[in-house]
Amino acid sequence: MFLQLDDGSEASVNTADDAIATRPGRTPIPGHRARDWTFVKDVKRGTSVVYALVSWDPDNPADYLMAGWWAQFPGQHLPELSFRDTVQYAIVDGPEIDPASPPELPLEGQATYTGQAGGLYAYLAGSDWGEDEGAVVIDEYEGVITITTDFADATMSACIGCAGDLVTRRAHFGIFLGDELLDTQGVAAGYELHFGETAFNPDGTFQHDDVTVRHPERTVTRTEGYWGGSLSNVPDAAGHPRLVAGFSGADIEESDGSIGEFRGTFVALSDTSRASQP
């Protein structure tokens, strides 16, 4: 797997040399199997730490979808890895979201998509946290994303965390986060990442920066973010794209000086496809 970095150089990992963990994965796609990997590659210029989930049709391996995230640590080496001065990338790939093979999108109707979103979050506690002010939390998060698509208007909107809370899930990056799950549920729980009305292109791709983060007990004073991705070129039984896959990010500031960020990917299956699963 290759990644073009922001400085124009390339980084790569492979299952033969760089995988430190692998296990069966969860896939929302009917008939697919899945496996996930954690990769670590420590070279002279720095370290790459990567998580990737691959879902594929066992009868047609060319029908696959890959999603994950990549943390690049320039100039840092094991065992001393810190998120300071790192660069993080969301990675999503597969033939059914290839812009070179666009979907035949419906001209009317709506579809709802539901699925898993996850990635990395970081939080610096402000004055409301009392003796924990100044504490830094870095962990993995997971939540449910819900997406509503209007094909007549060629628009969509979404929310991560509206259907159930975001949760802490130390699953892939224990090599530098540590194996013990910290008591950070109170930090992650309750946030909702709202992605406003976004136009999608005729080729099924979309990207927008209309993001609002809400919390029932915290006062979020500033949000900056983005989301993007692609509609599948594989139709479901209703003739709608069977899934939406993409990436998202949000940076927040709160009234007490707390700051946080979320970076991750998502795969959401149409409700029609979900209803057809055995």
Side-chain angles (χ1 to χ4, degrees), residues 95-119:
E96 72 178 282
I97 56 171
D98 183 355
S101 181
E104 294 185 10
L105 296 173
L107 299 179
E108 58 184 7
Q110 296 183 331
T112 302
Y113 297 81
T114 305
Q116 290 297 311

Side-chain angles (χ1 to χ4, degrees), residues 3-93:
L3 180 70
Q4 176 113 21
L5 303 178
D6 289 345
D7 62 6
S9 63
E10 287 188 348
S12 66
V13 294
N14 66 76
T15 55
D17 302 317
D18 308 315
I20 62 167
T22 183
R23 63 184 182 182
R26 294 181 297 163
T27 174
I29 303 175
H32 271 213
R33 296 178 183 173
R35 179 162 289 275
D36 65 24
W37 284 267
T38 302
F39 303 90
V40 175
K41 187 172 185 177
D42 192 342
V43 296
K44 184 177 181 179
R45 66 180 180 182
T47 303
S48 302
V49 182
V50 184
Y51 164 72
L53 171 72
V54 180
S55 170
W56 72 95
D57 182 343
D59 296 325
N60 179 20
D63 175 12
Y64 73 90
L65 184 69
M66 186 270 290
W69 50 92
W70 189 306
Q72 194 70 18
F73 297 79
Q76 298 187 42
H77 303 279
L78 295 170
E80 301 297 329
L81 293 181
S82 167
F83 263 105
R84 181 173 297 176
D85 299 323
T86 63
V87 185
Q88 300 168 37
Y89 304 86
I91 46 178
V92 184
D93 184 43

Side-chain angles (χ1 to χ4, degrees), residues 13-228:
V13 294
N14 66 76
T15 55
D17 302 317
D18 308 315
I20 62 167
T22 183
R23 63 184 182 182
R26 294 181 297 163
T27 174
I29 303 175
H32 271 213
R33 296 178 183 173
R35 179 162 289 275
D36 65 24
W37 284 267
T38 302
F39 303 90
V40 175
K41 187 172 185 177
D42 192 342
V43 296
K44 184 177 181 179
R45 66 180 180 182
T47 303
S48 302
V49 182
V50 184
Y51 164 72
L53 171 72
V54 180
S55 170
W56 72 95
D57 182 343
D59 296 325
N60 179 20
D63 175 12
Y64 73 90
L65 184 69
M66 186 270 290
W69 50 92
W70 189 306
Q72 194 70 18
F73 297 79
Q76 298 187 42
H77 303 279
L78 295 170
E80 301 297 329
L81 293 181
S82 167
F83 263 105
R84 181 173 297 176
D85 299 323
T86 63
V87 185
Q88 300 168 37
Y89 304 86
I91 46 178
V92 184
D93 184 43
E96 72 178 282
I97 56 171
D98 183 355
S101 181
E104 294 185 10
L105 296 173
L107 299 179
E108 58 184 7
Q110 296 183 331
T112 302
Y113 297 81
T114 305
Q116 290 297 311
L120 300 173
Y121 79 88
Y123 189 86
L124 173 63
S127 59
D128 285 352
W129 294 90
E131 62 182 17
D132 290 326
E133 181 178 0
V136 177
V137 172
I138 300 174
D139 220 317
E140 299 176 64
Y141 77 89
E142 185 177 90
V144 173
I145 185 170
T146 50
I147 302 172
T148 300
T149 302
D150 189 317
F151 294 103
D153 294 339
T155 60
M156 59 201 306
S157 59
C159 180
I160 299 174
C162 291
D165 285 337
L166 297 183
V167 297
T168 298
R169 192 170 77 95
R170 181 68 53 82
H172 311 293
F173 288 163
I175 188 168
F176 64 90
L177 295 178
D179 293 326
E180 183 179 355
L181 184 62
L182 302 178
D183 184 16
T184 56
Q185 183 61 47
V187 175
Y191 285 102
E192 297 176 355
L193 282 61
H194 293 261
F195 304 94
E197 186 172 273
T198 299
F200 54 82
N201 301 313
D203 65 0
T205 61
F206 62 93
Q207 187 165 350
H208 197 29
D209 58 4
D210 182 2
V211 182
T212 302
V213 178
R214 301 173 187 167
H215 192 284
E217 299 175 359
R218 308 287 300 162
T219 301
V220 179
T221 56
R222 183 187 68 86
T223 303
E224 292 183 358
Y226 57 86
W227 76 310

